[in-house]
Amino acid sequence: MKILVINGPNINMLGIREPDVYGAKTYQELTEFIEAAFLEAGVEGQIYQSNHEGDIIDRIQQAYGDTDGIVINPAAYTHTSIAILDALKAVGIPAVEVHLSDVDSREDFRKMSYVSLAAERVIKGKGFEGYREAILYLASKRAD
């Protein structure tokens, strides 16, 4: 089973960006955590990060026919990108949306997620652990 983890804009700035919201751990620490979750779940995994909406869409499309599940933290594109929603719907790959922070307890504009319309699950406010939960959920689907 292959799982693709996609991180959107500014996730690469973890540890620097708003540590009171996102914590002090770095993006490198996040990637190491995700790699460990792949091992725990017994899946092949790949991690991708981009600050560019079109690149994220291209990566989703490239996953078609080659990937069994997508974990996506679209970051700010969560609230603005119908194009990412459409790409997820087009490829039909089971997806889980993840957010490090509890977006529902933040600014009102963060409460709307277009991506959630294509996600089987949405995990919010669990920090790095949300990625592990998403990977384990998708890995459990291989038995279905």
Side-chain angles (χ1 to χ4, degrees), residues 53 56-58 60-61 64 70 72 74 77-78 80-93 95 113-119:
E53 183 179 27
I56 293 169
I57 292 162
D58 288 343
I60 292 167
Q61 291 176 357
Y64 182 75
I70 295 174
I72 184 165
Y77 291 133
T78 303
T80 63
S81 183
I82 296 168
I84 291 174
L85 165 65
D86 287 348
L88 289 168
K89 288 168 60 176
V91 298
I93 298 169
S113 168
Y114 289 105
V115 173
S116 70
L117 300 174

Side-chain angles (χ1 to χ4, degrees), residues 5 10 12 26-27 37 41 44 47 70 73 84-85 91 101-102 105 108-109 111-112 115 121 129 131 138-139 142:
V5 174
N10 298 308
N12 60 311
T26 66
Y27 184 68
E44 184 180 334
I47 303 167
I70 295 174
N73 181 344
I84 291 174
L85 165 65
V91 298
S101 69
D102 179 5
S105 67
D108 284 344
F109 68 85
K111 294 176 181 152
M112 173 54 192
V115 173
R121 289 200 172 169
E129 184 59 31
Y131 288 87
L138 289 170
R142 73 180 141 203

Side-chain angles (χ1 to χ4, degrees), residues 2-143:
K2 291 184 182 180
I3 295 176
L4 171 64
V5 174
I6 298 174
N7 286 300
N10 298 308
I11 302 297
N12 60 311
M13 297 300 287
L14 286 176
I16 298 168
R17 177 186 178 214
E18 299 179 84
D20 55 317
V21 175
Y22 300 104
K25 291 184 179 178
T26 66
Y27 184 68
Q28 179 62 38
E29 290 173 289
L30 175 61
T31 61
E32 290 167 3
F33 182 91
I34 293 168
E35 292 288 349
F38 289 149
L39 286 174
E40 178 184 350
V43 300
E44 184 180 334
Q46 185 177 22
I47 303 167
Y48 178 80
Q49 189 276 329
S50 179
N51 294 316
H52 305 280
E53 183 179 27
D55 291 345
I56 293 169
I57 292 162
D58 288 343
R59 187 61 191 95
I60 292 167
Q61 291 176 357
Q62 290 165 3
Y64 182 75
D66 182 51
T67 301
D68 303 301
I70 295 174
V71 174
I72 184 165
N73 181 344
Y77 291 133
T78 303
H79 324 292
T80 63
S81 183
I82 296 168
I84 291 174
L85 165 65
D86 287 348
L88 289 168
K89 288 168 60 176
V91 298
I93 298 169
V96 177
E97 179 182 343
V98 172
H99 296 282
L100 293 162
S101 69
D102 179 5
V103 291
D104 291 336
S105 67
R106 297 181 62 197
E107 302 93 339
D108 284 344
F109 68 85
R110 294 189 193 274
K111 294 176 181 152
M112 173 54 192
S113 168
Y114 289 105
V115 173
S116 70
L117 300 174
E120 291 188 9
R121 289 200 172 169
V122 179
I123 302 168
K124 308 172 197 176
K126 294 186 177 182
F128 287 12
E129 184 59 31
Y131 288 87
R132 181 179 167 277
E133 186 178 319
I135 290 165
L136 291 173
Y137 167 76
L138 289 170
S140 75
K141 293 179 68 68
R142 73 180 141 203

